[in-house]
Amino acid sequence: MILTGKTALVLGGARSGKSAFAEKLARDSGMERHYIATGRAYDDEMRERIARHRDDRGPEWITHEVPLDLSGALAEADDPGCVVLVDCLTLWVTNLMMDDADIPARAADLVARISATRATVLLVSNEVGLGIVPENRMAREFRDHAGRLHQQIAAVVDDVFFIAAGLPLRMKG
């Protein structure tokens, strides 16, 4: 698949192949590649996972580890000759929740930044709205924040893909 524009949202479940799909889009662009990783290592397993992902990407990527200031990181990498892959928005929402941040304001800043970007931007996120209603308040708030963020971003990006079992479905573009 190819992009119809310069911005895309790639959604899917855990281990659906969404990151691999977005990375292929970035590689196929032929542009300088930036990877904005939003994950935080709260335990050894996550530290190992982050290191493995960094090693798997290789030296062709310029990696930025940005758990909170996603809009600022996109502004810094905003060059028309670059492709910027953000992985992932749901970890970013988690980080904002853990820091008691104003998520609607931060989401609005991100949407404005995406709309103004000159770089090609690929945003990866977990679709969390396909399951049952979570049993606890924090999980419901997380699902609601992620769902609203996805809707706001989908409204402004050129392409939206849903990935299941490694197969992409173009939803927009």
Side-chain angles (χ1 to χ4, degrees), residues 51-116:
R52 187 172 53 254
H53 283 281
R54 193 179 309 117
D55 291 345
D56 288 348
R57 280 192 305 275
E60 301 84 31
W61 293 85
I62 300 166
T63 300
H64 311 264
E65 294 186 1
V66 182
L68 295 170
D69 188 15
L70 191 47
S71 295
L74 282 173
E76 287 180 24
D78 191 12
D79 182 293
C82 294
V83 59
V84 182
L85 192 159
V86 176
D87 198 355
C88 82
L89 294 175
T90 43
L91 286 175
W92 180 64
V93 168
T94 299
N95 296 338
L96 294 176
M97 288 180 73
M98 299 300 283
D99 280 23
D100 291 322
D102 182 346
I103 296 173
R106 300 294 286 274
D109 289 345
L110 178 60
V111 169
R113 168 53 47 205
I114 293 165
S115 297

Side-chain angles (χ1 to χ4, degrees), residues 114-128:
I114 293 165
S115 297
T117 190
R118 298 171 305 142
T120 296
V121 177
L122 310 172
L123 302 125
V124 175
S125 198
N126 290 290
E127 176 51 60
V128 297

Side-chain angles (χ1 to χ4, degrees), residues 132-140 143:
I132 61 172
V133 175
E135 68 177 23
N136 67 74
R137 180 180 177 162
M138 184 176 190
R140 287 189 300 274
R143 180 209 50 197

